[in-house]
Amino acid sequence: MSASFPSEAFALYRLPHADSYTALEGPTQEFTSCVQLNGQSGFVVAPFEVRPDQPIVLIRPELVEERDFSRGTRYEVRGTRLPLVQQYTRINYPRTSHLAPRTSILDPRTSKNNYAIDFANFHAQLQQGTFRKIVLSRCSEQRVQSPVDDKELFLRACQLYPRMFIALVHTPQSGTWLTATPEILLEGSGSDWRTIALAGTMKLEPEQLGGEGENVRWSTKNIEEQRIVATYIAECLERFTDDFREEGPRTVRAANLVHLRSDFTFKLASNDCIGDLLQALHPTPAVCGIPKRDAFQFIIRNEHTPRRYYSGFMGPLKTPSGSPCLGGEKASPKQGRLEGSTHLYVSLRCMNIESDRYRLYAGGGLLKDSTEEQEWLETEAKLETMRRCIAISKA
């Protein structure tokens, strides 16, 4: 069942390499399963684990604008103004008890100790053969002395990370989140769709920052991790279509990190099953593990900090012709944005913004030969994506 809420929510988002972004606002609707997204349209904000206090939220936009970075102008798609987005700087969000981790994570030493405990627990399961892969995440908190305009954080992220999907979203159910993510969960329109397998992470050295990571040499661990994710996605797609193609893996850059990526393009006879496909794909092994169901249950029982909407997904879900341009009907053809298109991304490199603190999230895939220090450093590199936004905004 779903429930509707009259409270306004909003989202700002920019697709990779686009020279404009979309601002929208409207009421929200709750869902308890991805399957319920069949036939729906709007802006989706989905958690890692769906539960009553952590639902899938769909913003049904009543006002939408497309805003141009380069010329500083904007054109209206529907409505005459966006009061909530334009006037918004910072909302005093109520404290939510289920956000609190088991122990304080403001102290870096506590955070490192908690990670060591979790790593030992998770890694033992790999050594025992319970999982082939499992993802361990953590949260790093940073206090803010004075409120910062969240829209400014969004614009800074757009400037810093042109290759990524950038979104600032607020709903009464989820709170406020900023993400800069490289990982497509599902994208397309009509009968033409695509998804990716993104796994394996390496930090670029200073002398490599001028390129796209083309000279990176991947370890066996990273190659194996990416192959696990790609195999899982192929098996999912086989349940919905016999017309798909895999290309890759190849090295792709995201900020100062590189990943291994395989691209899947496929045909769907009907868009009526998008919710079912999302239910099968999410969460992918890139944020969960293999076997998926058992790894998912182990994660939610054992990670020190609840993930909430980190490693869920968000973005515009297909819009019928004539409705607001969530998929970019008015955008230029060079951006590859088609009428009624869907652009759903996994919520990585993200942070939850509260009235006086930022909660930054990052994770990494563990295999049997993973080491704690190596994995900790990978999460530090991923947290740097949001830390750079905070540092610049305070400058």
Side-chain angles (χ1 to χ4, degrees), residues 111-112 115-116 119 136 138 201-205 221 256-257 259 349 362-366 370-385 387:
S111 181
K112 188 74 181 283
Y115 186 83
F119 181 88
L136 172 60
R138 68 184 183 94
T201 302
M202 289 184 64
K203 186 174 183 179
L204 291 174
E205 300 299 327
K221 182 261 182 187
N256 293 339
L257 303 176
H259 306 281
R349 320 294 152 82
L366 308 186
S370 295
T371 64
E372 180 188 332
E373 185 62 21
Q374 180 185 42
E375 298 300 330
W376 172 265
L377 291 175
E378 180 176 319
T379 62
E380 282 290 294
K382 290 174 177 177
L383 290 171
E384 190 64 22
T385 301
R387 285 173 177 161

Side-chain angles (χ1 to χ4, degrees), residues 7-11 26-28 43-45 55-59 91 93 169-177 308-309:
S7 303
E8 284 186 316
F10 73 81
T28 63
F43 191 96
V44 180
V45 187
I56 298 170
V57 184
L58 183 69
I59 304 175
I91 297 173
Y93 310 114
V169 182
H170 171 76
T171 74
Q173 298 90 339
S174 67
T176 303
W177 292 77
R308 301 193 65 237
Y309 288 82

Side-chain angles (χ1 to χ4, degrees), residues 81-98:
R81 63 190 181 96
L82 287 172
L84 185 61
V85 175
Q86 291 174 351
Q87 297 173 13
Y88 169 79
T89 53
R90 178 63 63 89
I91 297 173
N92 251 341
Y93 310 114
R95 286 276 175 247
T96 314
S97 60
H98 73 270

Side-chain angles (χ1 to χ4, degrees), residues 104-134:
S104 173
I105 51 177
L106 282 170
D107 186 342
R109 292 170 299 178
T110 301
S111 181
K112 188 74 181 283
N113 289 339
N114 288 345
Y115 186 83
I117 293 169
D118 285 353
F119 181 88
N121 189 13
F122 280 49
H123 195 247
Q125 303 301 313
L126 293 164
Q127 292 178 317
Q128 294 168 14
T130 307
F131 308 116
R132 291 177 57 202
K133 170 190 173 174
I134 191 166

